[in-house]
Amino acid sequence: MVLACIMIHCKPGTAPEVMETIKSIKSVRRVFETLGAYDVVVEYEFPSLEKLGITVYEIARINGVIATETLIETIM
Amino acid sequence: MAQMLVLMHAEKVSVLDIVKNLSKMPYVVDVFPTFGRFDVVAFCSVEKRDDVGALVKRIASLQGVLKTETLVEI
């Protein structure tokens, strides 16, 4: 399994609901609301890039989500 | 407990050493090198908010770490 860090910009005031919705997604290791450049941060474990793409698209469609940025683990 | 995410820009040649050092550091729960805008990502969990500054300073002082950006849980 590979890890990804997904960082999310939300409409003001929507971060708590966005976070609750994300908690229900399978293989999410960690999700928390943050101060700083992003509003919600997710640590996600995925078996394939295709599965990651589907999940990021699912997150991007949650009501309140404006934009996402994904950092994928490199195997060095 | 407070969680935080530390994003790092690092010298490419130092990335593996940084990941190795961070994985041994207290309060660091997950660390991995990444594709994309940042080179290393570290998920941390500190007991008290006052520990945030000290941990970030420690991470930023590692050999090869150029710049850090920290996202602290609210």
Side-chain angles (χ1 to χ4, degrees):
Chain A
M1 295 290 259
V2 187
L3 288 170
C5 169
I6 306 167
M7 302 179 291
I8 303 164
H9 288 292
C10 300
K11 278 188 205 136
T14 63
E17 293 102 63
V18 168
M19 210 169 56
E20 284 315 311
T21 309
I22 292 171
K23 277 179 182 167
S24 63
I25 296 175
K26 206 165 142 277
S27 303
V28 165
R29 264 198 191 186
R30 206 180 311 274
V31 53
F32 51 93
E33 195 181 340
T34 64
L35 291 176
Y38 297 89
D39 301 304
V40 176
V41 162
V42 183
E43 185 181 16
Y44 177 65
E45 207 171 0
F46 61 95
S48 68
L49 276 178
E50 189 196 355
K51 184 67 180 124
L52 173 66
I54 291 166
T55 302
V56 168
Y57 186 68
E58 199 182 312
I59 290 174
R61 286 170 53 226
I62 294 172
N63 188 33
V65 172
I66 297 171
T68 66
E69 177 170 357
T70 302
L71 302 173
I72 301 171
E73 181 179 11
T74 62
I75 311 300
M76 301 183 88
Chain B
M1 296 293 281
Q3 298 182 85
M4 61 193 237
L5 172 65
V6 181
L7 305 160
M8 288 157 260
H9 292 284
E11 287 164 6
K12 299 300 180 272
V13 293
S14 309
V15 166
L16 281 183
D17 289 335
I18 291 167
V19 170
K20 204 169 60 186
N21 289 328
L22 282 171
S23 59
K24 289 179 264 179
M25 206 180 265
Y27 300 131
V28 176
V29 288
D30 256 337
V31 52
F32 49 92
T34 61
F35 292 116
R37 216 156 45 92
F38 294 93
D39 301 305
V40 181
V41 160
F43 283 89
C44 310
S45 187
V46 291
E47 265 141 39
K48 305 191 304 296
R49 281 185 189 281
D50 305 347
D51 299 332
V52 169
L55 180 57
V56 171
K57 262 188 213 127
R58 212 160 149 209
I59 290 173
S61 68
L62 285 176
Q63 167 74 32
V65 174
L66 302 171
K67 210 172 98 179
T68 65
E69 183 169 336
T70 303
L71 303 174
V72 183
E73 183 180 19
I74 49 175

